[in-house]
Amino acid sequence: MSHDTEIQGRSQSQYEFDRRKSAVQMRKQVINFAIMIFLTFVAFATVVADFAPTFIKPVILLLAGIQVVLQLYSFMHMDDKHAPFIGVISTFVWVGAVIAFTFFLAFNTIIWW
Amino acid sequence: MLNTKFTPQTWPEHPEQATHEGKNKYVGIWIFICSDIVLFASLFATYISLRNKGPAGMQFTSQELFELPLAFVMTMFLLTSSLTSVYAMYHLKNYNFKGVQLWTGVTVLLGLGFLALEIYEFYHYVHIGFGYTQSAFSSAFFTLVGTHGLHVIIGLVWMICLIVRNASRGLNLYNAPKYFVASIYWHFIDVVWVFIFTVVYLMGVLG
């Protein structure tokens, strides 16, 4: 099962470099989290502030879209170019999104109207 | 190999992808998530179509039913639990098993808080007469949000099992991918919730 795995110890400098790199990455994740929280606040605030629904709806859907893309590419590591089959994974996810949109379109225009 | 003891220095930079099994798990969870996207897509589409639809004279509308403060608190719980899960993965990379267990535990607690609020919400709705069979609207609502709640329960059981079962094992290349995959699944639950609070609660209050 694991005969194809090779474990090599990292040199001290490489190890320190990797540690620093993952600390920097973690800081980026916290910033991404702050952005997500901010987007959530904005979404709730626009609804509470009582703007016209025709304005609010596209805005909060856009905010949700941005937040989800942030989740996928930062927290869920879809930006990791070295992950196994990451190309296949990305294709599946975006095709899934297209199918999701088709569902929405079909249910709201053809099945019920 | 899978049981090899490591030091922070010999621990691979991507422990979740270091073994063949880990790579398979990585791809596997994503294939599951893609099929889950399609499942939730059908439930969302059904909900949007059936919102506020029901028997003549139905007194429930999404405008009056949903409480934004509750939805907001639930969102904060789940969003924060996503960050704590990222912290667990940070410690996983650094071969700090205590950190992994601690932050996975915090994630579980936040998830439990979310679940408690959701159970309260459902109980409240059923109590005021908005039960599952009350209308097309109520069925679509409970199916969509309930399926998400079921995913939360599964995620919580999953993470509790990981914490308990590996408590005395320590971190190795056998369980590192398991923690990683559970974390990816937990983030996906948050992704679905982002759409639920936007489409169901925010747009529901708008009418």
Side-chain angles (χ1 to χ4, degrees), chain A residues 5 10 12 25 57 71 80, chain B residues 8-9 11 17-18 190 207:
Chain A
T5 310
R10 289 175 279 185
Q12 183 63 29
Q25 258 167 12
K57 278 180 187 174
Q71 277 268 358
D80 181 1
Chain B
Q9 198 148 351
W11 186 241
Q17 301 167 20
D190 195 40

Side-chain angles (χ1 to χ4, degrees), chain A residues 99-113, chain B residues 37-54 132 135-145 147 199-200:
Chain A
I99 293 173
F101 183 69
T102 320
F103 265 120
F104 164 77
L105 218 57
F107 276 46
N108 285 285
T109 55
I110 303 171
I111 300 177
W112 287 282
W113 67 90
Chain B
I37 291 175
V38 178
L39 164 71
F40 276 107
S42 70
L43 295 180
F44 268 109
T46 311
Y47 173 80
I48 294 167
S49 313
L50 295 178
R51 188 168 68 91
N52 287 345
K53 304 236 165 65
Y132 189 83
S135 57
F137 171 38
S138 78
S139 303
F141 168 78
F142 281 116
T143 308
L144 171 60
V145 184
T147 305
V199 171
V200 176

Side-chain angles (χ1 to χ4, degrees), chain A residues 5 7 21 33 37 44 46 50 54 59 63 70 73 79 82 93-94 99 101-103 106 112:
Chain A
T5 310
I7 299 298
K21 200 168 73 180
F33 172 73
I37 290 277
F44 274 87
T46 34
D50 229 16
T54 43
V59 168
L63 291 175
L70 262 180
Y73 280 89
D79 59 346
H82 302 290
V93 168
W94 289 110
I99 293 173
F101 183 69
T102 320
F103 265 120
W112 287 282

Side-chain angles (χ1 to χ4, degrees), chain A residues 51-92:
Chain A
F51 291 113
T54 43
F55 166 73
I56 299 178
K57 278 180 187 174
V59 168
I60 58 177
L61 280 175
L62 181 70
L63 291 175
I66 297 171
Q67 205 173 328
V68 162
V69 168
L70 262 180
Q71 277 268 358
L72 288 171
Y73 280 89
S74 71
F75 284 11
M76 292 169 85
H77 305 287
M78 261 173 67
D79 59 346
D80 181 1
K81 293 265 184 329
H82 302 290
F85 295 102
I86 190 67
V88 178
I89 289 171
S90 310
T91 312
F92 266 49

Side-chain angles (χ1 to χ4, degrees), chain A residues 1-15 18-19 21-26 29-30 33 36-37 39-41 43-44 46-48 50-53 56-57 60-61 63-65 67-68 71-72 75-78 80 82-86 88-89 92-93 96-97 99-101 103-105 107-108 112-113, chain B residues 1-2 6-14 16-24 26-27 30-31 33-34 37-39 41-42 45-46 48-51 53 68-69 71-72 75-76 79-83 86-87 89-90 93-95 173 180 183-185 187-188 190-192 194-195 197-199 201-203 205-207:
Chain A
M1 203 56 201
S2 52
H3 52 267
D4 53 348
T5 310
E6 235 177 88
I7 299 298
Q8 291 157 334
R10 289 175 279 185
S11 69
Q12 183 63 29
S13 51
Q14 178 71 35
Y15 168 65
D18 287 346
R19 271 303 259 255
K21 200 168 73 180
S22 73
V24 169
Q25 258 167 12
M26 189 62 231
Q29 301 283 46
V30 175
F33 172 73
M36 286 179 212
I37 290 277
L39 294 179
T40 308
F41 265 111
F44 274 87
T46 34
V47 172
V48 174
D50 229 16
F51 291 113
I56 299 178
K57 278 180 187 174
I60 58 177
L61 280 175
L63 291 175
Q67 205 173 328
V68 162
Q71 277 268 358
L72 288 171
F75 284 11
M76 292 169 85
H77 305 287
M78 261 173 67
D80 181 1
H82 302 290
F85 295 102
I86 190 67
V88 178
I89 289 171
F92 266 49
V93 168
I99 293 173
F101 183 69
F103 265 120
F104 164 77
L105 218 57
F107 276 46
N108 285 285
W112 287 282
W113 67 90
Chain B
M1 179 72 219
L2 288 176
F6 288 89
T7 64
Q9 198 148 351
T10 57
W11 186 241
E13 205 201 337
H14 287 285
E16 78 281 358
Q17 301 167 20
T19 61
H20 187 67
E21 196 181 338
K23 287 190 179 113
N24 285 345
Y26 195 106
V27 178
W30 273 105
I31 289 176
I33 284 174
C34 295
I37 291 175
V38 178
L39 164 71
S42 70
T46 311
I48 294 167
S49 313
L50 295 178
R51 188 168 68 91
K53 304 236 165 65
L68 276 193
F72 183 75
T75 306
M76 285 302 136
L79 204 57
T80 312
S81 81
S82 227
L83 180 75
V86 172
Y87 268 110
M89 290 312 101
Y90 170 70
K93 260 190 161 183
N94 287 345
Y95 197 67
L173 287 184
F180 186 85
S183 150
I184 295 271
Y185 175 78
H187 293 316
F188 176 68
D190 195 40
V191 164
V192 174
V194 169
F195 281 116
F197 88 68
T198 305
V199 171
Y201 293 97
L202 290 181
M203 287 167 81
V205 169
L206 287 178

Side-chain angles (χ1 to χ4, degrees), chain B residues 56-76:
Chain B
M58 181 176 76
Q59 76 269 38
F60 295 107
T61 60
S62 62
Q63 285 98 316
E64 288 157 19
L65 197 62
F66 297 141
E67 304 273 357
L68 276 193
L70 184 70
F72 183 75
V73 174
M74 286 166 82
T75 306
M76 285 302 136

